[in-house]
């Protein structure tokens, strides 16, 4: 029984340590549950702003689920995404950084 007690103590120690929580969720831009006020540290999206009608729901989603320190990584191409999207981001308090073409594969580079 001494061996079992040692194993249990070891398991208790591992389980008692605080571990970062990772949550991955699928979301339809702009669709919210009334009591859903969760905030995230990171928000990821790819190819999400190439249609003008997606801009508003996407930005509303970013506003709803972001806190002051949230980092959103939104992959878009400058060819498919109109400048209006970036203007709307700024108007809603977001900043964005465009990656230099040299950091991207040739097929993803802007013009």
């Amino acid at each position: 029984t001494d061996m079992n007690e040692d194993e249990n103590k070891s398991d208790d120690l591992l389980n008692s340590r605080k571990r970062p929580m990772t949550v991955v969720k699928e979301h339809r831009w702009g669709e919210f549950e009334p009591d859903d006020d969760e905030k995230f540290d990171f928000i990821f999206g790819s190819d999400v702003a190439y249609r003008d009608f997606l801009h508003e729901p996407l930005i509303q989603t970013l506003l709803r689920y972001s806190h002051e320190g949230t980092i959103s990584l939104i992959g878009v191409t400058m060819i498919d995404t109109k400048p209006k999207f970036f203007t709307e981001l700024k108007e809603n308090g977001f900043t964005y950084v465009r990656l230099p073409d040299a950091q991207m594969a040739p097929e993803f580079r802007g013009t």
Side-chain angles (χ1 to χ4, degrees):
T1 58
D2 289 339
M3 194 167 185
N4 285 339
E5 285 179 27
D6 289 341
E7 286 177 15
N8 288 339
K9 286 179 184 177
S10 178
D11 288 343
D12 290 344
L13 180 61
L14 287 173
N15 292 329
S16 69
R17 292 187 179 156
K18 297 272 184 192
R19 295 185 186 156
M21 182 178 185
T22 302
V23 177
V24 177
K25 293 184 176 185
E26 182 179 348
H27 176 74
R28 289 184 179 266
W29 303 130
E31 294 183 12
F32 309 104
E33 295 296 323
D35 60 344
D36 187 7
D37 59 355
E38 192 168 11
K39 303 292 183 189
F40 296 94
D41 295 327
F42 296 96
I43 298 173
F44 300 93
S46 180
D47 298 322
V48 295
Y50 56 92
R51 301 271 189 240
D52 289 351
F53 69 89
L54 295 174
H55 296 177
E56 182 181 344
L58 171 57
I59 290 171
Q60 291 307 310
T61 297
L62 293 173
L63 288 167
R64 174 88 174 242
Y65 292 123
S66 296
H67 56 73
E68 188 175 300
T70 298
I71 296 173
S72 299
L73 299 174
I74 307 296
V76 299
T77 60
M78 299 300 281
I79 295 169
D80 292 342
T81 307
K82 295 179 182 165
K84 175 184 171 202
F85 174 67
F86 302 100
T87 301
E88 290 173 359
L89 282 174
K90 283 183 175 181
E91 289 172 350
N92 282 278
F94 292 99
T95 58
Y96 68 90
V97 176
R98 181 176 184 249
L99 294 178
D101 283 345
Q103 292 182 351
M104 294 183 269
E107 63 268 24
F108 299 111
R109 294 178 183 170
T111 56

